[in-house]
């Protein structure tokens, strides 16, 4: 049986995602599509627009057979750790292929790149170190170092965001010796960070979120870029939860956290380094919004994403010690949802799975789960007290969504 | 020169307080009235209705000559530690008398009581311990133990709240060998916890606060129980700050704090004992308001006030270790405000004061001040971001109010 994994955020699920699923099925000849999806918080260090359950429904309604959760400890990390987590869970779940979007679109590029970087490893690492000393951000340093390598322009362009992520998936497969074959599809039309909704039917998730958060009444304006099932889910979500989530709703809690934490406590937060926590403490009082805080703490040294992730770990009180669990802890497989085909697969496979399978988390004792629960608590605080209680109850006791 | 201290909260200043000042001046023959006033948070573990600066103005406008701050580390404690702090600062400031309201109204009662309890100390302590073992609250245990002492009914009734506080002031004077003569005035008319505004001109601060918080538009209904200067200050405050402060506005932050703290971190909070912190963790998710939280965690063992104080220390992240500083740290004298007479006194006396005198705190490094700053940060979060910044700036840089 051909089980294909896709690594997703679906924030929210849109026509581009639908296209990716269709193309994936074609090129991998998949019998089953397993999406491994980030939960409440995303790789850019942001809360998801809508709950993991609503996003799971959106995926199942559009051809995904099983949705697994990518735990917070992986989902809110830079590309390498993010990819490592996703590949290890997909591998443990028995996926035998993975398909990702990239600017390149040719999987041979990725295999060649792995070989090329292996051959140039020493030079590459030295150049990265030199570039970092000059005070540029980590992604910039990677890009500089790569461009200094002889013949780099004969392999994949590693300055493009989806090529980077794809490279990390393929690298993780090699390093973990995972029994997974990678595939890639060329990304079309919408660029990842587009801010405007185009007239055609494919738009970036960024532009869709922007529209939904800023103009909560204008669901109509995104109607043509999402499947009707997504649209209906968004309408229903807004009706039940009253608002979509964003950082500004959580900002008061971040502010409170920074104002009441000791310097030592802040320095122990994951990703606090080089006095970043002092920068946060010193500017928090002047900031009247999350946006203004970010503008105040931004420097050349750190990317916006890196800083958002640090703010997020501060909000969720995720310490260096706790997060170091990813180095030596076997992950679990948490099923967020499945259709009937997916259910059959799980029932047949569950005794052969290499990782523990969990559905509701209330009774699970696992270091990742403690962080997950706390992340959900923080996520819920962006809503009214009654919705808060509902979201937390869902986290603890929600069975997988079944369609 | 006759300097008389009064220990106050002025939350807000009302006609009863005015009466107390007038009577104090008469019986102590005071040349100068020094009020030592709690800052942002009060003995009952609640935020003050309005800022310390507004309350300072109210006091100066009605015959108080100098207002000093009772630091958070003393102001939010049970009667004994509260009184110890107030007396030590008043003594260090050169007050030679103190005048407090009591149900008794006769200072001889207090001297006799000190002697009586000293004589029965062993029996008294044993009875307190026995009562506590039965699971009653600390104040109840004190009262039981006192009532078991032979001839207790021939001395002061220690089951009345103002007699208890008065006893602690007089005891602190004895223990500290303070050069202070205590006086007391019989409390009239309004009972401390009255909830309704009476027709006459004296009402309890509790009833006034209730009116102001519940019906923020009905300032008129308290007009006859406060001096016109208080009324004007309240009107102006509401205009500038948009709302009066209460626990409900801070509840979301308490909830966040409890949800994101480790069990160890909560157990380290000051006044966490006998699993109180677990009770808080276990009920916080069901609570949709501070009131409902309090009702859920209330037991026979702890008074409402004791529980509110624990919630407050949790909110301000005040740990056992930090708060233990009161045992071996010399306090400072922080002047919140003064009139011209008060100013002259301070200018003449400042070189003779036994404690360090501070006005603005921005550059002061003192363990109490760190807690004070954090308390102000928490207090400010009950307001809009712009008011937050204003309140925090005031805390750091506000010079004493001078009228």
């Amino acid at each position: 049986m051909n089980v294909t994994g896709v690594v997703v955020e679906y924030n929210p699920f849109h026509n581009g995602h639908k296209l990716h699923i269709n193309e994936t099925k074609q090129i991998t000849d998949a019998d089953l599509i397993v999406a491994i999806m980030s939960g409440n918080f995303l790789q850019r260090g942001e809360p998801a627009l809508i709950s993991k359950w609503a996003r799971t429904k959106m995926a199942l309604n559009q051809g995904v057979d099983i949705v697994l959760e990518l735990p917070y400890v992986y989902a809110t990390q830079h590309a390498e750790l993010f990819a490592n987590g996703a590949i290890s869970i997909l591998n443990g779940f028995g996926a035998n292929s993975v398909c990702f979007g990239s600017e390149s679109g040719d999987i041979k590029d990725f295999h060649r790149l792995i070989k090329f970087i292996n051959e140039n490893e020493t030079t590459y690492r030295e150049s990265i170190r030199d570039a970092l000393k000059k005070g540029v951000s980590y992604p910039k340093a990677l890009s500089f170092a790569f461009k200094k390598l002889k013949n780099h322009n004969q392999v994949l362009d590693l300055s493009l965001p989806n090529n980077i992520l794809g490279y990390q998936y393929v690298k993780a497969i090699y390093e973990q010796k995972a029994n997974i074959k990678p595939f890639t599809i060329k990304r079309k039309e919408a660029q990842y960070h587009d801010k405007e909704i185009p007239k055609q039917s494919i738009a970036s998730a960024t532009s869709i979120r922007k529209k939904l958060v800023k103009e909560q009444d204008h669901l109509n304006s995104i109607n043509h870029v999402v499947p009707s099932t997504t649209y209906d889910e968004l309408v229903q979500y807004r009706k039940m939860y009253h608002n979509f989530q964003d950082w500004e709703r959580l900002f008061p809690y971040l502010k409170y956290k920074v104002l009441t934490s000791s310097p030592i406590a802040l320095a122990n937060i994951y990703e606090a380094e080089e006095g970043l926590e002092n920068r946060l403490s010193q500017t928090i009082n002047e900031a009247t919004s999350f946006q203004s805080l970010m503008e105040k703490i931004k420097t050349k040294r750190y990317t916006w994403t890196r800083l958002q992730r640090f703010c997020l770990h501060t909000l969720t009180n995720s310490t260096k010690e706790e997060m170091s669990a990813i180095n030596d802890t076997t992950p679990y497989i948490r099923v967020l949802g499945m259709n009937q085909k997916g259910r059959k697969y799980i029932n047949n496979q569950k005794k052969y799975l290499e990782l523990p399978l969990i559905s509701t988390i209330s009774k699970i004792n696992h270091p990742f789960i403690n962080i997950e629960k706390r992340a959900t608590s923080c996520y819920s605080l962006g809503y009214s007290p009654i919705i808060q209680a509902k979201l937390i109850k869902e986290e603890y006791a929600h069975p997988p969504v079944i369609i």
Side-chain angles (χ1 to χ4, degrees), chain A residues 32-35 60 64-68 93 335 337-338 342 345-346:
Chain A
L32 200 83
I33 297 284
V34 181
L60 296 175
V64 171
D65 300 301
I66 296 171
V67 180
L68 306 180
F93 191 65
V335 182
M338 53 203 160
Y345 172 80
I346 291 177

Side-chain angles (χ1 to χ4, degrees), chain A residues 300-315:
Chain A
K300 234 177 31 173
R301 159 74 79 185
Y302 299 107
T303 61
W304 189 274
T305 298
R306 166 76 175 76
L307 291 172
Q308 284 204 153
R309 284 202 294 257
F310 174 56
C311 288
L312 175 60
H313 300 314
T314 305
L315 177 76

Side-chain angles (χ1 to χ4, degrees), chain A residues 33-44:
Chain A
I33 297 284
V34 181
I36 181 150
M37 186 180 82
S38 307
N40 291 310
F41 293 99
L42 309 174
Q43 211 217 341
R44 281 170 58 78

Side-chain angles (χ1 to χ4, degrees), chain A residues 42-45 70-83 165 270-271 305 309 313 323-324 326:
Chain A
L42 309 174
Q43 211 217 341
R44 281 170 58 78
L70 183 65
Y72 177 95
V73 294
Y74 300 122
T76 61
Q77 301 273 14
H78 63 70
E80 188 171 5
L81 294 174
F82 177 91
L165 209 48
Y270 186 62
E271 300 231 45
T305 298
R309 284 202 294 257
H313 300 314
M323 294 289 279
S324 71
I326 55 167

Side-chain angles (χ1 to χ4, degrees), chain A residues 30 62 102 115 137 159 196 217 222 229 243 245 271 289 291 301 318 331 352 377 380:
Chain A
Q62 291 297 325
S102 65
K115 195 162 168 263
S137 70
S159 67
E196 294 300 316
D217 285 335
I222 59 127
T229 50
N243 61 269
Q245 180 69 292
E271 300 231 45
S289 67
Q291 178 70 23
R301 159 74 79 185
S318 300
Y352 309 114
S377 294
S380 77

Side-chain angles (χ1 to χ4, degrees), chain A residues 202-264:
Chain A
I202 306 277
S204 72
T206 305
S207 66
I208 296 172
R209 283 197 297 280
K210 204 183 160 209
K211 209 78 185 167
L212 292 177
V213 170
K214 300 266 172 205
E215 308 163 40
Q216 303 229 352
D217 285 335
H218 289 68
L219 270 172
N220 278 340
S221 65
I222 59 127
N223 202 352
H224 66 295
V225 293
V226 297
S228 65
T229 50
T230 289
Y231 185 80
D232 294 345
E233 193 62 39
L234 287 170
V235 170
Q236 212 191 326
Y237 191 87
R238 202 185 45 189
K239 207 166 155 190
M240 280 184 69
Y241 295 81
H242 307 303
N243 61 269
F244 300 122
Q245 180 69 292
D246 81 319
W247 241 125
E248 294 302 345
R249 294 181 168 270
L250 302 176
F251 174 65
Y253 302 98
L254 175 67
K255 188 167 184 177
Y256 163 78
K257 171 72 182 171
V258 175
L259 288 172
T260 55
S261 295
S262 68
I264 293 169

